[in-house]
Amino acid sequence: MALFNKRNLVIGILVVLVAALAYRYVVKPETEEADSAFVREVSTIASFEVPDGTDKVRFTLGLDDDGRVISVKTTDVLAGDTADEHMVEFSNNLLVMIQGKKLSELTNIDRVGTSSLTTKAFNSSLPALKAQI
Amino acid sequence: MEDKSAGFQFTGIGTSWCVLIDGEVLDKDTREKILDYVQVFDNRFSRFINTSEASSFRNSPAGKYPLSSEFALILKRADELRELTSGLSDPAVGALLELAGYDSDYSMSPKADLKNFVLPKWQLDGETLELDRGAVFDIGGMGKGYLIDKIAEILEKNGYRHYMVDGGGDIFATTKSDGSPWRVAIEYPGKPDMAAGVVELKNQGLAVSDTFRRRWGNWHHIVHPVLKTPVESVLGVAAVSGNAWDADSATSALFFADEDKYSAVADAFGASYLVFKSDGRTRVSKNWKGELFV
């Protein structure tokens, strides 16, 4: 796995996420348990060419009963589904595109976590700076 | 809406604060204790105040200096962040921020001798600080989280159990009086009317940081200590942990950390995180619990 290709992995992860979303909406689990623990695993294998053959990486997602992803594993299929350090690290980070939602569309929110609001002094000095640019 | 929901609002350490008690109004005595504590904290640790401990080494020659226990504790945490980010998160950038224009007069005008800035080398031995030259310490990266937790301590001492402390958008919350969590939307970096997701806080801290709010010209407040330029690879970071200080520490480290160090940062502070990269993608930790609007 010397030529472990990050870009392919990213594509792989995105494919799996799409699959998970499809799973969530199409194959709803029948059980309606309140427990939010892991109820089903889905996995897919991504193959990619390297100079000395083909590498195969398996992405395994654990889903809760709402179809939400609650665990991710990335393993090397050709090495007996083991994971090297890089794969473990990769599994610890999901890569997603966040679209966002209008705050005004959200209901039942107590507060908004935000980057520091700035002082009047800071903000009032900005027009002077803009004039210099 | 009733008055209770507005909470106790005040200004401190350069930002807006709000303390919300579920179903109650904060009593006058506790309000005063909080205001006093925040004022004392600012006087002691703000780099904008010349007589503060954070500013007191500005013109010091190389040498060893005794610290107050509290400043030593804060610098110890800063030292951990420095370690986790290969030296990039360093509170000794205070003078660089000043030279870039983020000074006590808010001049917002970068100075010509900015290029001559040399990052002071410092190390901590218990409560003794060793410096190789004069230094101004900026604890803005995580001092606010520390202060939020201290305010929570004041609330606990005064008998409050169901509250939320919001320090300029960083939050610590226990539970509501019925035991349910507080629901907090996370602002999308640079888009104040958009939420990236929602988290439910239950005896947890949340910190959110971005490079948009404190921005002037080509600068913002998160600076690379060696390149002497603002950090642009990350747009914003959000982290949830067991308290506000740990969450705030995690966001500071994640701004500078290499991607393969994200897990180490999360482990060090028991945190889950979102890292909004400049290319529009977001790194989400495996243990993130909460809704994301994908």
Side-chain angles (χ1 to χ4, degrees), chain A residues 95-130:
Chain A
L95 193 61
V96 301
M97 298 289 286
I98 292 180
Q99 307 294 335
K101 210 176 213 181
K102 287 267 185 202
L103 278 171
S104 55
E105 292 170 6
L106 298 177
T107 52
N108 221 0
I109 293 294
D110 297 308
R111 205 78 195 155
V112 178
T114 159
S115 178
S116 283
L117 301 170
T118 52
T119 54
K120 278 183 191 161
F122 184 102
N123 289 325
S124 64
S125 60
L126 291 181
L129 172 71
K130 282 177 185 149

Side-chain angles (χ1 to χ4, degrees), chain A residues 10 72 89 91-103 106-119 121-122 125-126 129 133, chain B residues 14-15 18 106 108 144 166 168-169 176 182-185 187-188 192-195 210 213-214 216-217 259 263 273 281-286 293-294:
Chain A
V10 168
V72 185
E89 177 49 39
S91 303
N92 286 333
N93 283 287
L94 283 171
L95 193 61
V96 301
M97 298 289 286
I98 292 180
Q99 307 294 335
K101 210 176 213 181
K102 287 267 185 202
L103 278 171
L106 298 177
T107 52
N108 221 0
I109 293 294
D110 297 308
R111 205 78 195 155
V112 178
T114 159
S115 178
S116 283
L117 301 170
T118 52
T119 54
F122 184 102
S125 60
L126 291 181
L129 172 71
I133 298 171
Chain B
T15 192
C18 179
Y106 296 97
M108 300 302 158
K144 186 144 55 78
D166 177 343
K176 294 185 182 173
W182 296 84
R183 281 174 56 80
V184 180
E187 187 185 86
Y188 198 106
D193 59 337
M194 293 283 276
D210 73 33
R213 289 292 173 100
R214 292 175 192 246
W216 65 101
E259 286 195 21
S263 293
Y273 59 81
R281 298 182 301 181
T282 304
R283 290 272 171 195
V284 184
S285 67
K286 188 172 67 169
F293 303 128
V294 293

Side-chain angles (χ1 to χ4, degrees), chain B residues 1-8 19-26:
Chain B
M1 297 282 175
E2 52 189 316
D3 276 341
K4 287 173 190 169
S5 62
F8 169 44
V19 177
L20 275 172
I21 313 289
D22 190 27
E24 279 183 77
V25 175
L26 192 61

Side-chain angles (χ1 to χ4, degrees), chain A residues 55-116:
Chain A
D55 273 344
K56 287 187 176 177
V57 174
R58 185 196 307 276
F59 301 106
T60 309
L61 302 186
L63 305 174
D64 70 4
D65 55 3
D66 291 327
R68 281 184 298 213
V69 178
I70 53 173
S71 71
V72 185
K73 263 190 309 192
T74 312
T75 49
D76 182 352
V77 178
L78 301 178
D81 271 330
T82 55
D84 64 16
E85 205 179 309
H86 186 114
M87 288 178 169
V88 169
E89 177 49 39
F90 199 87
S91 303
N92 286 333
N93 283 287
L94 283 171
L95 193 61
V96 301
M97 298 289 286
I98 292 180
Q99 307 294 335
K101 210 176 213 181
K102 287 267 185 202
L103 278 171
S104 55
E105 292 170 6
L106 298 177
T107 52
N108 221 0
I109 293 294
D110 297 308
R111 205 78 195 155
V112 178
T114 159
S115 178
S116 283

